[in-house]
Every structure is written in structure tokens, then in C-alpha cells.
Amino acid sequence: MDGLFIIGHQNIILYQDYSDSLREKFMELGKANGLLEENFEDKDLDSDVVMQLLNPIVTSQRVMCSQFDNKYVRLQTLGNLSVIYDEFFGFLYLKIGTGDVEMEKTVLSACREFSKLICGPDIQLLRLDFEKSSLLRNLMKAWTRMHEQDQATRLEKVEFMLISTELRSQIVANVQESLRNLKEEQLFSRHHALLFSHGKLVSDFSSRSTRDLSARDLLHINVLSTQIKSSNCHLIYLTGTQNSCLPHIVFGHRISDTLIFLLAIEYDNSDVADVIFDTLTFLCKIHNYPLDADNVKSMIDKSDMAIKQILEALKGNRMAKVEAERMGKSVEIRWNGMKKKFSELAKNSSYREVTKFFEASLPGLIDCLKLLFKTLFFDTFLPLSSNSLLMEVSVTFQSGIEAVLSEISLEQQKGAMKAYIDEYPGLVHFIFVDNSDGRIISPERNWEDTRLLSRAKFFATIDMMAKYKKKGRSSLIWKSPALSYSFFTWYEDECGQYLDPKDVPSCPENHTTSANYYQKITETLFPRTSVARIKSFDLYLVHLGLVNSNLCLEHSRRIAVTINDVIGITGNPLDIL
């Protein structure tokens, strides 16, 4: 049995996707509880019936959270059925299944991140917008398939495709030429251009003032590219490396069966989105957790500061200016009214009365901010996405690289990596991971040939090594009779010099829940050094079992030093002209 659900604030199912076996169980329970007729055999169950069956496990979790600030994250039944909980902006996420608990948590985390990617702070859109609900379902299917088959997705990264330096330079030159007209359009001046082939990143290009994409952003864009049939446009909310919410218009154009060109255009007023999102995060946390007399005054002061930041950010907004000003005024009036009432109650009433009023008033303020967010971004998406300039840029780029399309293939990568791996006797497979930009380098492997190393065995080993890394281990060698597995992680400064962390702490429980996971780890390890100057790397190696540990270490050192020569590129080309 397997099911995935998103529950709204009023115990309304916003999104559901469950297996036939779980549906049959719902039907059995529905008939037993009088919710369904005995002869009911329809394929689609009413969501209200499903919600009534889920209500006990939903309500109990919310009561524990709101009344006792002691929410639980998992229920385990006697029948080996797990119920995993997660939350985002007060929306409850449920994963019901009989699979591995860690995998169930990963699936639920992915659902939460993809719903945030396409809806921003207003997950309610999944119930109101069929296209967004369908997109989430398709993204989850694509991610599940990629997670089971693709080693880069398994590591929450994107694989970098190896091509010749000359070909890469030619592609970048074509991208720059194609984007020339885009720079002149003020609303499209901040953009990224990405080229994917066979699910691998061939090349990327960023305009000068655009914020950097995080490793998770690259992964999400890669998964989104699987939904590009011919030409598609989506409004998504990325995070960047230093932000919480950056609205982007992503225009995808399929050049061939395997080649996809994407433009990720950052909204001109993305700073406003980031401030509103952070404020909503803060207000929703207050609303969902109990307040007491000791912290209510502090919460009111922090809320006042957050609202002022939003109003200040709106002064520089140029999108839907009239509507945004009207909505901003509405937020200001509502908050000033709340503050005035707070002051009156604080003078004449107990803190309990102030707390009750504050908690009762928050939902209206939150809804008002979500409406402002919708006005600024969701409502302006259609006129921006219909701009013909996006299609013109894509067609121009396609025509510019038609002469070299045949050269963008996996064969060149296979040849380069085969020659490279042959230099290491006994080396079966390896993955080089750059955690700073979320990319991996690895030789192509025929996973159909399971005589020496199967995909399932290798992925299980990666998962096992990840557990040791979370405990603070920076190196590990594990030998079996047939193969030897090793893992190393290290840090370098901007000059490529090795940095030795004094103490390696335990890592967060699940890196998929944090956009800036490696950034936070680096901040912990090197508190006195700017994170931007430090790079984090991982290396996974598989050798034949007869290879000793000293040779494994020697190979790891050589690969760490020479892998950049194989890549043939030192970093992301930046438009500084």
C-alpha cells in the first residue's frame, strides 16, 4: 500500500495520489464505517470520504502540535504500515506506505519541495489549479524514476556532461549571441540559460546580475525538463544560494529527442517575493505553535518589523504596480488595526486576551499577504510568459548549434572517461561530487551488466555511506570479497588548497530538507572563513576486492587533483559584458 496526501488547514485534501491496494483498503474501511454503500465499486473515491478516514491521524498530530508543541513525525502500525508526517506553512503532508522508512521520508520531502517549487507559499493552488496538481503528479513520477535509475539524482545532484573544450566554447558563444536581445528587455535582464542532453548538464550561462542557482535549483530544473514536450513555460520558485524564494519564469524548448534548452528568468521584483515568503514563514510558525505571555510581545514586535520590510520592498516594485500598491495598503491598514487593538488590550486586559486576539487575527493577515504574493507573481505570469521573445531566443540558439548537434552525444564522454579510468588499475567505477555547485562527474556504466556491480548494490552502498557521513565521518573504506568501496569528503579554499576542519560534527538528518545543506555544514566547520571562498567535494570509489587500501587512497588523491583536466572547465561562464 502506498499513498501521498497534502491536507489543507480546514482538513481538506489538496492533493492525493495512492495505489490500488490502498484504495481497496479505503473502500473496506469506508463500508465498515458506513461512509460507502456496500455495493460501491467506483474507481474514484470522493476526497471527503478519504479525509474522514484519515481524520484521526491528522487531527491527533495537529492537536499535539498546537496544544503541546510536541508533534510527532511518524506512526508505525502493527501491520508494518508507516505514516510519515511533514509540514509546510501549516499544510500537512502525509506519506503512507510499507516501504523502507528512510525512503518514505525522502519521497515525502521531495513532494514538499516540488509543491513549494510550483506553488510558492500558497499550496492551496493544488486544489484550485488542475494544471499545477497534474504537474506535481508528473514531477513526482519523473523524480521517482530518476531516483531509482540515476546516480546523480540519488545524490541530489546533476551530472555534468563531458564534451570537448572547443565544442563547449562554441555552445557558450551561441548562447551569448542568442541572449543579446533578451538583455535589452528590462523585465528579462536577469536570466540563466541551461542546455541538457540525456538528463545531463551540457552547458550553462548566467547574466551578470542574476543570483546564483543552488544545487537543489539545478536538480529541480533538471526534473522539470522531463516535462518539456515541445515548448513549455512554467512559473517556479527557486531558492538560490542565499534566499528563500526567488520567482522564475522557466521557458523550455526541446531541440531534439535528447536535447533541451531552458531559460530561467528571474522576476524583476524577486526581492519582494523573498521578504513576503520569509514573513509568511514567520507568521505561520507563530500561528501553528502555542504562544504564552512571555513571548507574545516579542512576536508582535517582530511581526511589525517584518510588515515594515514588506512595505519598504514594495516601493521599488514595478510589476502590477497599481494592484500591488492597493494590496500593500490593505496589508498596512490591517496590521495597523491589529497593532492598535493590541495596545488597547495590553493596557486593559490580561496577556491571555492579547494572545487570543493575536492568534485569531493572524489567519486574516496571512491570507492578505498570500493574496499580495499572488497579485505580484501568479497574476503577472501569463503576460510575461506569452512574450514572443522567449521563443525567438530559443529558435535562434537552435539554429546556431544545428551544425554541432551530432557532436553533443554520450559517445565522447564514454571515450574520455574510459581512457581516464584505464589509468587506475583495479578501479571499477567512481563518482566525483562538487557540492558547491551541485554537479557530479562519473564514467558511463552499463547497469544492465550486473556480473560485477549492479545498480541496486551500488545505490545501497551510497545510502550506507551517507549514513556514516551524517555521523560526521569524512572517509570510509569498506571491503567485500569481490569489491572494495570507499568514500572521501574534503574542503578546499578558492586557490585549491586543502582545508583541514578541526572538528567534524554530525550532519543534519536529511539533506533533501535543506536548500543550503552544504553551506550550513561549511559554516559550522569554518566559522571564521567566508563560505563563498570554500568548496566542498565528495568522492565515491569502487575497486576490485584485491586492491589494497593504500592503492585506494592513492587513486583518490590522483582523481581529486586531475579530474578538472578531464572536465575542461573551471567554473560557470559569467556574463560580465
Side-chain angles (χ1 to χ4, degrees), residues 11 51 54-64 72 92:
N11 278 10
M51 187 63 240
L54 295 176
N55 191 61
I57 61 176
V58 170
T59 303
S60 60
Q61 198 269 356
R62 284 183 163 165
V63 169
M64 289 294 292
Y72 40 82
L92 190 62

Side-chain angles (χ1 to χ4, degrees), residues 182-439:
L182 205 60
K183 298 177 186 177
E184 299 174 2
E185 178 63 50
Q186 190 173 21
L187 296 179
F188 293 165
S189 60
R190 294 190 289 186
H191 51 260
H192 302 275
L194 305 102
L195 184 65
F196 287 92
S197 177
H198 298 276
K200 306 178 193 301
L201 180 62
V202 178
S203 180
D204 62 333
F205 176 88
S206 302
S207 62
R208 184 178 183 181
S209 56
T210 308
R211 292 177 175 87
D212 292 336
L213 297 177
S214 68
R216 188 179 65 175
D217 291 339
L218 275 179
L219 174 66
H220 286 172
I221 291 175
N222 190 24
V223 177
L224 183 64
S225 70
T226 63
Q227 307 305 306
I228 307 298
K229 304 306 178 185
S230 56
S231 296
N232 301 86
C233 202
H234 299 282
L235 170 62
I236 63 172
Y237 302 93
L238 303 174
T239 61
T241 55
Q242 301 288 339
N243 302 88
S244 302
C245 180
L246 297 176
H248 281 71
I249 298 171
V250 174
F251 181 83
H253 178 67
R254 183 171 288 276
I255 297 174
S256 66
D257 292 340
T258 60
L259 205 60
I260 299 174
F261 178 68
L262 294 109
L263 287 171
I265 299 171
E266 183 183 331
Y267 263 71
D268 182 61
N269 56 349
S270 56
D271 289 334
V272 183
D274 205 42
V275 175
I276 296 177
F277 188 90
D278 288 340
T279 302
L280 283 170
T281 302
F282 172 71
L283 294 177
C284 286
K285 186 175 182 179
I286 296 174
H287 181 57
N288 294 324
Y289 290 87
L291 287 172
D292 54 43
D294 296 330
N295 61 17
V296 64
K297 180 65 167 61
S298 172
M299 293 300 101
I300 292 173
D301 291 341
K302 290 180 179 178
S303 300
D304 186 47
M305 184 180 300
I307 297 298
K308 288 180 179 178
Q309 288 177 342
I310 292 176
L311 297 176
E312 182 65 28
L314 280 174
K315 292 180 180 179
N317 170 66
R318 290 177 292 187
M319 305 281 293
K321 192 171 180 63
V322 175
E323 283 296 308
E325 288 179 353
R326 182 179 64 82
M327 290 300 305
K329 195 67 177 177
S330 176
V331 170
E332 184 178 19
I333 292 173
R334 177 180 287 272
W335 176 244
N336 287 338
M338 290 172 64
K339 282 200 303 180
K340 183 177 180 182
K341 186 67 174 179
F342 294 149
S343 300
E344 295 174 357
L345 289 174
K347 293 177 182 178
N348 306 315
S349 306
S350 64
Y351 266 111
R352 181 176 178 81
E353 292 297 321
V354 177
T355 303
K356 287 173 62 177
F357 175 76
F358 188 47
E359 291 177 341
S361 303
L362 274 180
L365 180 61
I366 291 172
D367 289 342
C368 198
L369 288 174
K370 286 183 179 179
L371 188 58
L372 172 61
F373 193 93
K374 176 179 177 294
T375 300
L376 287 169
F377 306 105
F378 187 76
D379 292 349
T380 58
F381 168 67
L382 187 59
L384 288 174
S385 62
S386 58
N387 193 316
S388 61
L389 189 58
L390 300 177
M391 190 64 187
E392 290 174 10
V393 169
S394 301
V395 172
T396 301
F397 174 73
Q398 179 177 353
S399 62
I401 65 165
E402 280 183 347
V404 296
L405 283 181
S406 60
E407 299 181 39
I408 306 175
S409 66
L410 294 177
E411 296 307 316
Q412 187 173 147
Q413 171 158 326
K414 290 178 181 178
M417 292 309 298
K418 185 180 185 305
Y420 182 73
I421 204 170
D422 285 345
E423 298 177 8
Y424 299 87
L427 181 60
V428 176
H429 191 59
F430 77 88
I431 303 178
F432 175 82
V433 184
D434 186 341
N435 294 314
S436 305
D437 61 11
R439 305 178 194 187

